[in-house]
Each structure stands twice: as C-alpha cells, then as structure tokens.
Amino acid sequence: ETAVFQTPNYHVTQVGNEVSFNCKQTLGHDTMYWYKQDSKKLLKIMFSYNNKQLIVNETVPRRFSPQSSDKAHLNLRIKSVEPEDSAVYLCASSYVDQDTQYFGPGTRLLVL
Amino acid sequence: GQQVQQSPSSLVLQEGENAELQCNFSSTATQLQWFYQSPGGSLVSLLSNPSGTKHTGRLTSTTVTKERRSSLHISSSQTTDSGTYLCAIASGGSNYKLTFGKGTLLTVTP
C-alpha cells in the first residue's frame, strides 16, 4: 500500500534549467527525508525535516533547496541543474527520529 | 563518519536455497534497517533490528551490536526475492540520518 507519493516519476531536462519534485505522505509522520541514489545505486541522505524544521542538511550544492509547507509535504527544488544531478531522488518519512522509514517510489531525473 | 559494508555484493541461488547476507558497520548503531529494492527501484523496509534477532515470514535478522555486524537470512528463496538488499544504519543524536551500504544483488533462478 503506497503511502509516500512522489511526482513526477520521471523528468528529463537540460543543463541550467530549474526543476521541482513533490513528496507527500499520508502516514501522519512528523519527519520526512530526501535521499539521492546515484548511478552506482548508492543511497545518500540529503535533507531531513521534523515538523517543518530542517534537522539534517548534508553537504549538498546550494542549488538544492527543500521546501516544506506542512509536516505531510516536503518538496525539493533544484536551481540550474547540472549533469551530475542525474539520479533517482527518493523521499521517505517516519514517525519520529530513529523509527522505521517508509520510502516513496522515487523520481528519476535525467539532465542532458 | 559511519561506514557500512555489505557482502557479498551479488549472490545467485536456485529457488528453494537459503541466502545469508552480511552487513558490517564502523561505529555504534542506534538504528539498523534492512531494505529490499525491487528491480523497478521501489524501496521497501523489511526489518528494523538494532540488536538481537527478529523474524518476519521467511526473513531472520541477527544483529550483534558490540561486534558491529548484522545478518539477514532468507529461507527457501523464491524467484520473487530477486532484487537488491540494502542495510542502513543510524548513529543517533539530533543529526539523525541513515547511512546505506551498497547492497547485495540477489538473483534467484527457477
């Protein structure tokens, strides 16, 4: 049963464009995350939010910015994409810190 | 920072055989999760097991915290078990985050 929703599924764009990915969870969780999975399939945390507050901000380029309107939504905006941004971006949520995380299906980004 | 090593990197089994996957980590874990990623890419949490032994269906996870290792045993493998199994660790604190291993690619043949 899908409870973490991501849109779009797939996005192709050109270098320098701006893209925005959406994530919504219907589990009532208070913490949400963005991960990046690169071409070698390694998953790395980018950001995490607890009740709309940023709690983890890994070393990611400044062109990446998370946006949270409420605890059920965490969007990711990338200004001026670069080829190395091509990856799968996975959104996740959990009840509290250190509880089981539930993942969305991912958004695959291809930068030409 | 935390490092997570998984072995083997890939494993091929015949249906009905058992699989044993290993996860070693470099510092104390306050949270440990095993995930399954399907060939299509979706990620599903299998077990959360920071210490001791846990069972669910055909899966058994054993984590020995002081030795910084965990295993995932899959009994009576099925072709639908094929995919990538990922181990992820959190070290706690206010800067909570999961660090993932590179995974074990399991292929179960009929």
Side-chain angles (χ1 to χ4, degrees):
Chain A
E1 179 185 349
T2 303
V4 181
F5 303 90
Q6 291 186 240
T7 56
N9 295 326
Y10 188 67
H11 188 77
V12 182
T13 191
Q14 293 189 326
V15 170
N17 286 348
E18 177 175 315
V19 299
S20 188
F21 305 147
N22 300 312
C23 179
K24 170 187 171 181
Q25 54 94 4
T26 59
L27 294 164
H29 291 162
D30 56 9
T31 306
M32 296 184 71
Y33 315 82
W34 276 107
Y35 290 84
K36 179 181 179 181
Q37 188 169 36
D38 60 23
S39 57
K40 297 181 180 178
K41 304 293 186 182
L42 185 61
L43 264 163
K44 286 188 178 178
I45 183 78
M46 298 176 70
F47 303 100
S48 66
Y49 266 72
N50 178 256
N51 278 320
K52 300 195 298 176
Q53 298 294 319
L54 180 66
I55 56 172
V56 170
N57 182 0
E58 286 299 285
T59 307
V60 298
R62 292 175 59 122
R63 61 182 181 277
F64 289 85
S65 59
Q67 299 166 321
S68 179
S69 56
D70 55 56
K71 70 177 187 178
H73 295 83
L74 182 63
N75 300 331
L76 181 67
R77 187 177 72 166
I78 313 173
K79 290 199 300 185
S80 190
V81 295
E82 298 186 6
E84 60 263 32
D85 298 338
S86 296
V88 176
Y89 292 86
L90 288 154
C91 176
S93 70
S94 69
Y95 271 117
V96 294
D97 275 0
Q98 309 201 40
D99 204 346
T100 301
Q101 293 187 18
Y102 295 84
F103 281 75
T107 294
R108 185 176 298 274
L109 173 66
L110 178 61
V111 180
L112 302 175
Chain B
Q2 177 73 270
Q3 293 184 23
V4 181
Q5 302 289 337
Q6 288 188 247
S7 60
S9 56
S10 63
L11 183 61
V12 180
L13 298 175
Q14 276 199 317
E15 200 166 25
E17 291 182 325
N18 298 331
E20 186 86 13
L21 311 180
Q22 302 293 336
C23 176
N24 292 278
F25 40 98
S26 59
S27 50
T28 303
T30 52
Q31 175 63 277
L32 185 147
Q33 279 187 253
W34 283 97
F35 290 89
Y36 167 76
Q37 189 166 34
S38 67
S42 61
L43 203 65
V44 175
S45 177
L46 298 173
L47 283 166
S48 180
N49 186 28
S51 66
T53 299
K54 279 195 175 180
H55 305 273
T56 180
R58 294 181 292 106
L59 304 178
T60 301
S61 172
T62 299
T63 299
V64 183
T65 310
K66 63 181 180 181
E67 295 181 12
R68 299 177 184 167
R69 60 178 175 86
S70 181
S71 64
L72 180 69
H73 181 87
I74 306 172
S75 62
S76 303
S77 62
Q78 302 173 0
T79 56
T80 50
D81 294 334
S82 295
T84 301
Y85 291 79
L86 295 161
C87 174
I89 309 293
S91 300
S94 60
N95 196 25
Y96 168 66
K97 61 181 182 181
L98 283 179
T99 302
F100 282 79
K102 293 183 178 181
T104 293
L105 176 61
L106 176 65
T107 304
V108 182
T109 60

